[in-house]
Amino acid sequence: MKYIFILGHNPKLSIAEILAVLPQATIIEETASFLIVENKEFDGAEMLRRLGGTVKLGEIIGTQISKKVTVEHLKEIKAKTKLNFGLSYYDCKPDNLGMEIKKELKDSGVSCRLVTGKDQALSSVIVAKNKCEEFLILGKKWLGKTCAVQEFEDYSLRDYGRPRRDLKSGMMPPKLAKIMINLAQAPAGATILDPFCGSGTVLQEGLLLGHEMIGSDNSDKAISDTKSNLEWLRVNSRLEVINAKIYKTDVRQIAKTVGKVDAIVTEPYLGPALRGKEKIHEIKRIIEELSELYETAFSEFRKVLNYHGRIVIIFPAFRIGSETLELPILEKIKKLGFTQVNKEKLIYSRPGQAVWRQIYVYQA
């Protein structure tokens, strides 16, 4: 079965996640907009709920753009009222196919509405709210049909609807937390540690994926925020039990508190909030302090991580003009016995950000 994944804002990261979840998949075509793979059959809606970096998921229904195939698919749908359908174009320009399909359907007695948007691809919001049967035109080469779109309302609720949010120390988006957990490739029900748990985003997403979670932080506020947010999650989700343990401890002492774990997924302290006017020597001082923290953390991780377990961790990358300054500790981590799994840089960023999140995957 050929499946289409419409990628998020950070396509390399989205693809890395997909291949971590579907390691047996064969890549058919890869662009900055979409990924087509061959894989054994799975439930599309269930798969998309598992992924954080994929916007839409669909199935290939043709190797050429065909009005006939599209019309036949739409005629098979038994709409209770008017049939809503739409076309999204990726890596190609829109054409008049939508209007041609609409005319043929109406001539056949099918009451229908062509759903359009301001962009050449329909957003997940438009597809969901219009209950739209969406067809994907991919590079004028592949014809696909959407089977699921990202649950944007659920993500928004878990991001902005929680009782505790710490804007000062920074917030990890739930989608990114889910991506990182998937990159860990931990087995179902694995024990995952976040030793910089903050307000509990990684714990939250891990619990929803069925893992046992352990969170720790050296901040009283972080511990309080995490407990409040996980209780909110219990009340507002399908989870009957919150299978998580929370400890107040410094990462430098984590091995004295936590037993063995299957994976570590975390965003450590990324440094103080920047004003945007810092000199290079100021950034280098921050990098020196952070390097010491990260090195010590990896030394502790070595003591608690099971053999072959993975660490998925964010390093800050500081943007100063056209220059990027990173933590110079990769060789030191290697000497501690960890192997870097990701072969290319995985960046999570937005335009204009002074500090990029650079994701590393290590294996013990």
Side-chain angles (χ1 to χ4, degrees):
M1 177 79 75
K2 291 185 177 68
Y3 291 99
I4 316 140
F5 298 81
I6 302 300
L7 309 173
H9 293 294
N10 300 273
K12 286 186 178 180
L13 188 56
S14 298
I15 291 171
E17 180 194 23
I18 293 163
L19 298 181
V21 172
L22 298 172
Q24 303 303 318
T26 301
I27 295 177
I28 305 299
E29 185 165 341
E30 173 186 335
T31 77
S33 302
F34 62 84
L35 177 72
I36 299 176
V37 304
E38 182 94 41
N39 198 81
K40 66 179 182 180
E41 191 171 352
F42 55 72
D43 183 287
E46 185 178 322
M47 178 60 66
L48 191 56
R49 276 193 293 272
R50 181 174 175 181
L51 297 171
T54 298
V55 178
K56 303 173 185 174
L57 196 154
E59 299 175 359
I60 293 293
I61 59 174
T63 54
Q64 59 183 3
I65 312 307
S66 168
K67 178 176 73 172
K68 180 181 178 182
V69 171
T70 307
V71 169
E72 286 175 354
H73 270 78
L74 287 168
K75 283 183 177 179
E76 290 175 359
I77 299 168
K78 304 300 182 182
K80 293 181 179 179
T81 55
K82 185 175 287 189
L83 174 62
N84 291 341
F85 77 95
L87 305 180
S88 286
Y89 293 79
Y90 294 93
D91 296 347
C92 58
K93 293 181 179 180
D95 53 23
N96 293 321
L97 180 60
M99 292 303 296
E100 293 174 9
I101 292 170
K102 180 180 178 180
K103 182 178 184 305
E104 185 161 334
L105 287 171
K106 287 200 168 184
D107 289 346
S108 302
V110 178
S111 177
C112 63
R113 170 176 165 248
L114 174 62
V115 177
T116 59
K118 62 179 181 179
D119 299 315
Q120 63 185 44
L122 300 176
S123 69
S124 296
V125 177
I126 290 176
V127 174
K129 293 198 170 181
N130 287 276
K131 297 180 180 179
C132 174
E133 301 293 334
E134 183 190 28
F135 294 85
L136 307 170
I137 314 298
L138 308 162
K140 287 294 185 183
K141 177 182 177 183
W142 301 94
L143 176 63
K145 187 175 187 308
T146 301
C147 55
V149 298
Q150 200 170 61
E151 296 176 332
F152 53 90
E153 290 180 339
D154 286 354
Y155 279 113
S156 179
L157 183 64
R158 297 204 301 274
D159 195 356
Y160 303 104
R162 298 184 296 174
R164 302 289 181 88
R165 303 183 78 243
D166 190 349
L167 298 177
K168 184 177 180 181
S169 64
M171 293 286 293
M172 177 189 287
K175 293 178 187 179
L176 177 56
K178 184 178 284 187
I179 291 170
M180 292 176 65
I181 293 166
N182 283 325
L183 289 176
Q185 291 188 313
T191 300
I192 298 178
L193 167 67
D194 180 1
F196 297 89
C197 66
S199 56
T201 306
V202 170
L203 275 61
Q204 164 187 287
E205 297 306 308
L207 289 167
L208 290 170
L209 288 171
H211 296 299
E212 296 184 14
M213 303 302 295
I214 300 174
S216 67
D217 207 291
N218 66 351
S219 162
D220 288 321
K221 183 180 186 305
I223 297 300
S224 176
D225 287 354
T226 294
K227 289 179 177 179
S228 294
N229 286 337
L230 293 188
E231 174 57 22
W232 173 89
L233 180 68
R234 185 191 66 79
V235 173
N236 290 277
S237 74
R238 63 183 182 276
L239 296 175
E240 295 180 2
V241 178
I242 296 298
N243 200 356
K245 298 176 182 177
I246 314 297
Y247 300 102
K248 182 182 183 300
T249 187
D250 192 286
V251 71
R252 300 172 181 89
Q253 305 293 324
I254 196 70
K256 295 180 180 179
T257 307
V258 175
K260 288 290 187 177
V261 299
D262 300 307
I264 297 171
V265 178
T266 193
E267 178 180 67
Y269 177 55
L270 302 181
L274 302 182
R275 304 182 306 276
K277 299 179 181 179
E278 288 78 9
K279 305 295 183 184
I280 286 186
H281 75 272
E282 295 177 284
I283 299 299
K284 287 184 176 179
R285 187 176 67 250
I286 294 172
I287 287 174
E288 185 178 343
E289 293 171 355
L290 291 177
S291 295
E292 182 180 353
L293 172 65
Y294 279 54
E295 286 176 49
T296 306
F298 270 89
S299 296
E300 289 293 297
F301 295 165
R302 187 69 186 164
K303 300 172 186 176
V304 300
L305 185 62
N306 284 328
Y307 184 59
H308 284 326
R310 286 191 172 189
I311 299 169
V312 184
I313 186 170
I314 290 176
F315 283 27
F318 297 91
R319 300 282 295 170
I320 307 296
S322 60
E323 191 173 358
T324 302
L325 302 180
E326 302 174 0
L327 305 191
I329 60 172
L330 301 189
E331 282 301 315
K332 293 179 180 178
I333 294 172
K334 184 178 179 181
K335 289 179 180 178
L336 288 171
F338 294 103
T339 301
Q340 185 178 332
V341 176
N342 59 302
K343 301 305 179 185
E344 59 180 336
K345 289 186 175 181
L346 299 175
I347 304 292
Y348 187 92
S349 66
R350 296 286 186 180
Q353 281 185 327
V355 181
W356 287 357
R357 289 174 163 113
Q358 189 163 319
I359 299 166
Y360 284 89
V361 183
Y362 284 96
Q363 186 162 311

